[in-house]
């Protein structure tokens, strides 16, 4: 009977079990074949396994050696199949007992000297092993990351194939690796370093409290990038389930160093030259894109209109559904991507738009052309669109404000607590639930209807105003959404020329 062990294939941020079967048959020409929709890296496993065996002084069987990766119709990518293939061959050759190979899920790349090298995706692999009630074998460098998958998972993290063989032969026992450190949150930049800009700070607090998307529009040097960098400091740390979700994606992208996880929410700020694959994932070597790396955190797009329009429009799907589906050669993969979009831009290409001492001489044409680079449906998904005017010298000369990140973060945490009790962040509430929890009082309702009529609000915008108003009420600890909350929410959508031509 053939020997077998288990490994995984990564599909998005999820690990699917793969049965690795090895059969050595007599007769015919010597063959070493890997079948089962394997990519080039998997096919190259043969050479690495052959070299590793020779480094150990083991001769490969001179017969027909067939490795089957089942199910055969699902694509398999990556070099991590080396270790399971080697393990199953060792079992088929009788060097290790077959039942040992069967009881483990193996994951790791072999060097020609039979050392084991780390590859991305260890955490989802270890979680899959735990769910399948198998033991887990991975390279020593991946041990601290794998150990996060759960206390009852049996983990072996050898540095080389020989260490693994010695462990199973009982001559050199391996100990279970310990989880990597929980990284302390780095010192964040404080909101009290931003002088003036009270309106923008308020919008930042509302965005943090309700998980709303935010667009800041203002002349160069007004502090937009400065404000955006201070948003993560206002957000609460990741909850336990969110931490696992986020870490799985970062593991697949190979971003977890020495198994150190962090509860700090991701803050991703890709450059505006980012390609579609860099933003949403996919490409020849499927990797999660920036939108997925920002899952449960912030995706900051500075100089928004400078991004490629197609790249921006590819964000419309995740902004609505919280995930991204990319087509691959043989399959579709879905990555989680529930991020909060924060964007900054100048009102026109020249910088200042039609207002102030540095106003643009080509306004309003320059403003209209520049802002037209953003598609209506994308802008429609941004709840808060606020102007960030140039900061005055008088403001800059002021002493640092008394209130900073710490005070605002307390209010944000309280508002989020109220939302958690109602069943989720305001920005993510479904319309029917929203009608129920954010129904404004009569005065608020009439203001909203009037504004919807005057500004031709889309159904989505209408709901977004309600969501923001709900958050503003939550920040005040109010049960009922009132006129004043609706008014502030409406006023928070007036940055773009299309909403109100004041900046043009
Ligand atoms: N409100 C402010 N309080 C204190 N310093 C400020 C403020 N606004 C701007 N600055 C100073 O100006 C620098 C530039 O600010 P920032 O990069 O945030 O501007 P910006 O609005 O993003 O400009 P651009 O449109 O050119 O990207 C900051 O590093 C800071 O030193
Ligand atoms: Mg900037």
């Amino acid at each position: 009977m053939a020997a077998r062990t288990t490994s995984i294939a990564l599909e998005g941020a999820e690990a699917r079990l793969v049965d690795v079967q090895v059969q050595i048959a007599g007769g015919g020409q010597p063959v070493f074949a890997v079948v089962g929709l394997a990519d080039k890296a998997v096919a190259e496993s043969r050479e690495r396994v052959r070299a590793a065996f020779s480094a150990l002084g083991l001769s490969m069987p001179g017969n027909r050696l067939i490795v089957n990766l089942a199910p055969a119709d699902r694509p398999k990518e990556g070099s991590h199949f080396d270790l399971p293939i080697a393990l199953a061959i060792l079992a088929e050759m009788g060097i290790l007992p077959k039942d040992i190979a069967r009881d483990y899920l193996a994951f790791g790349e072999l060097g020609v000297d039979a050392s084991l090298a780390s590859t991305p995706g260890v955490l989802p692999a270890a979680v899959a092993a735990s769910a399948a009630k198998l033991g887990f074998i991975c390279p020593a460098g991946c041990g601290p990351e794998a150990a996060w998958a759960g206390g009852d998972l049996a983990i072996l993290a050898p540095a080389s194939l020989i260490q693994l063989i010695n462990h199973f032969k009982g001559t050199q026992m391996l100990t279970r690796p310990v989880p990597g450190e929980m990284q302390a949150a780095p010192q964040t930049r404080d909101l009290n370093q931003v002088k003036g800009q009270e309106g923008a700070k308020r919008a930042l607090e509302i965005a943090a409290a309700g998980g709303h998307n935010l667009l800041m529009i203002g002349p160069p040097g007004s502090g937009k990038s400065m404000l955006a960098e201070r948003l993560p400091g206002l957000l609460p740390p990741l909850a336990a389930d969110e931490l696992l979700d986020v870490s799985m994606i970062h593991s697949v992208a190979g971003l977890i160093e020495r198994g150190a996880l962090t509860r700090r929410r991701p803050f991703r700020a890709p450059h505006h030259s980012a390609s579609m694959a860099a933003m949403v994932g996919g490409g020849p070597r499927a990797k999660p894109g920036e939108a997925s790396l920002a899952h449960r955190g912030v995706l900051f797009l500075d100089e928004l209109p400078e991004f490629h329009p197609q790249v921006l429009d590819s964000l419309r799907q995740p902004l609505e559904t919280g995930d991204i589906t990319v087509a691959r050669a043989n399959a579709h993969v879905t990555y989680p991507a529930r991020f909060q979009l924060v964007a900054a831009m100048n009102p026109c290409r020249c910088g200042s738009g039609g207002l102030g001492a540095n106003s643009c001489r080509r306004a309003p044409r320059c403003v209209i052309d520049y802002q037209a680079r953003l598609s209506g449906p994308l802008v429609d998904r941004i709840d808060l669109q606020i102007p960030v005017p140039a900061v005055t010298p008088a403001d800059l000369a002021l002493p640092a404000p008394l209130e900073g990140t710490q005070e605002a973060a307390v209010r944000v945490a309280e508002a989020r607590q109220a939302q958690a009790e109602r069943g989720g962040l305001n920005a993510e509430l479904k319309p029917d639930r929203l009608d129920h929890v954010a129904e404004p009082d009569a005065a608020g309702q009439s203001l909203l209807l009037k504004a919807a009529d005057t500004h031709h609000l889309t159904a989505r915008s209408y709901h977004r105003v309600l969501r923001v108003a709900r958050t503003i009420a939550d920040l005040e600890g109010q049960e009922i959404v009132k006129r004043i909350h609706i008014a502030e929410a409406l006023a928070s959508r007036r940055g773009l020329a299309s909403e109100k031509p004041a900046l043009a």
Side-chain angles (χ1 to χ4, degrees):
M1 213 185 73
R4 48 169 299 262
T5 188
T6 305
S7 192
I8 56 116
L10 287 168
E11 288 180 16
E14 277 177 40
R16 298 238 183 278
L17 294 184
V18 172
D19 202 19
V20 180
Q21 306 156 357
V22 169
Q23 189 180 51
I24 300 174
Q29 291 286 318
V31 183
F32 181 1
V34 179
V35 296
L37 223 55
D39 82 335
K40 196 157 179 292
V42 184
E44 286 173 352
S45 278
R46 287 178 309 176
E47 302 312 322
R48 287 189 295 268
V49 170
R50 217 192 286 272
F53 271 48
S54 131
L56 295 185
L58 293 168
S59 54
M60 296 287 289
N63 320 51
R64 290 171 60 80
L65 199 164
I66 308 295
V67 178
N68 181 33
L69 305 175
D73 61 342
R74 299 199 87 111
K76 329 273 179 329
E77 284 182 357
S79 54
H80 64 265
F81 285 98
D82 294 1
L83 180 58
I85 291 174
L87 184 64
I89 295 176
L90 288 169
E92 179 70 352
M93 287 167 73
I95 294 171
L96 292 178
K98 282 187 177 167
D99 55 344
I100 282 186
R102 205 176 308 128
D103 291 344
Y104 280 90
L105 189 156
F107 181 95
E109 179 185 309
L110 273 173
V112 288
D113 56 353
S115 61
L116 285 167
S118 310
T119 46
V122 182
L123 191 57
V127 169
S130 172
K133 304 223 175 331
L134 293 167
F136 186 62
I137 310 175
C138 65
C142 302
E145 186 178 324
W148 283 109
D152 5 326
L153 176 66
I155 303 175
L156 299 175
S160 66
L161 199 53
I162 192 70
Q163 274 193 3
L164 184 67
I165 297 172
N166 288 344
H167 173 83
F168 287 133
K169 293 209 172 291
T171 52
Q172 181 194 11
M173 298 308 283
L174 294 163
T175 53
R176 188 183 195 278
V178 288
E181 279 175 28
M182 184 56 85
Q183 251 178 19
Q187 210 58 36
T188 56
R189 283 165 250 202
D190 203 289
L191 208 52
N192 65 14
Q193 293 159 342
V194 181
K195 308 269 181 72
Q197 303 300 20
E198 295 309 326
K201 286 190 206 170
R202 168 78 174 161
L204 205 63
E205 188 173 320
I206 297 171
H212 302 288
N213 301 326
L214 167 70
L215 171 61
M216 293 181 277
I217 305 133
S222 58
K224 301 178 297 297
S225 304
M226 208 179 166
L227 283 156
E229 283 163 9
R230 282 152 180 81
L231 177 58
L234 299 182
L235 299 171
L238 293 168
D241 56 333
E242 292 178 320
L243 175 68
L244 187 66
D245 258 17
V246 170
S247 303
M248 298 266 250
I249 302 168
H250 287 230
S251 170
V252 171
L255 294 181
I256 299 181
E257 279 177 34
R258 289 184 287 282
L261 306 192
T262 173
R263 285 197 187 279
R264 190 172 162 73
R265 286 183 189 268
F267 181 83
R268 305 289 305 183
H271 187 253
H272 56 71
S273 60
S275 67
M276 183 87 101
M279 188 66 89
V280 297
R285 283 259 156 275
K287 283 267 181 266
E290 292 291 340
S292 294
L293 296 173
H295 182 57
R296 298 284 168 204
V298 177
L299 180 67
F300 176 45
L301 304 185
D302 209 353
E303 323 296 353
L304 187 68
E306 302 292 341
F307 281 80
H308 201 285
Q310 269 176 329
V311 173
L312 288 184
D313 280 340
S314 67
L315 294 174
R316 280 162 53 182
Q317 183 210 345
L319 280 170
E320 206 68 19
T321 61
D323 54 29
I324 293 175
T325 304
V326 272
R328 308 289 325 283
N330 294 307
H332 284 83
V333 286
T334 300
Y335 296 102
R338 189 167 292 290
F339 56 85
Q340 184 176 357
L341 177 67
V342 176
M345 63 184 275
N346 299 134
C348 76
R349 178 171 279 286
C350 319
S352 298
L355 289 179
N358 301 322
S359 67
C360 169
R361 275 182 287 128
R362 293 193 296 124
R365 193 70 253 159
C366 188
V367 176
I368 293 167
D369 287 350
Y370 194 58
Q371 299 190 3
R373 292 172 62 100
L374 304 176
S375 77
L378 178 74
V379 171
D380 205 29
R381 284 162 168 78
I382 303 180
D383 309 353
L384 300 159
Q385 299 162 15
I386 55 146
V388 182
V391 57
T392 62
D395 275 341
L396 285 177
L398 288 174
L402 292 177
E403 277 215 349
T405 295
Q406 213 183 345
E407 292 75 15
V410 170
R411 289 192 293 268
V412 167
E414 281 168 6
R416 283 196 168 221
Q417 181 58 35
Q419 295 167 64
E421 284 162 16
R422 277 199 307 265
L425 274 182
N426 290 336
E428 291 166 17
L429 280 180
K430 298 266 174 289
D432 52 341
R433 185 91 188 102
L434 188 70
D435 288 342
H436 188 64
V437 300
E439 195 190 347
D441 63 6
Q445 187 72 48
S446 95
L447 177 64
L448 179 58
L449 288 179
K450 208 164 128 212
D453 215 28
T454 322
H455 297 286
H456 309 292
L457 293 187
T458 62
R460 187 190 287 120
S461 296
Y462 177 94
H463 285 135
R464 284 182 185 260
V465 170
L466 265 185
R467 286 193 180 94
V468 173
R470 178 66 266 173
T471 302
I472 296 169
D474 285 336
L475 276 168
E476 283 179 11
Q478 298 264 355
E479 283 281 320
I480 306 285
V481 175
K482 299 195 174 137
R483 187 177 205 279
I484 188 169
H485 306 136
I486 297 280
E488 189 176 353
L490 284 167
S492 309
R493 291 180 69 91
R494 67 196 152 87
L496 282 173
S498 58
E499 298 278 325
K500 187 183 174 209
L503 281 172

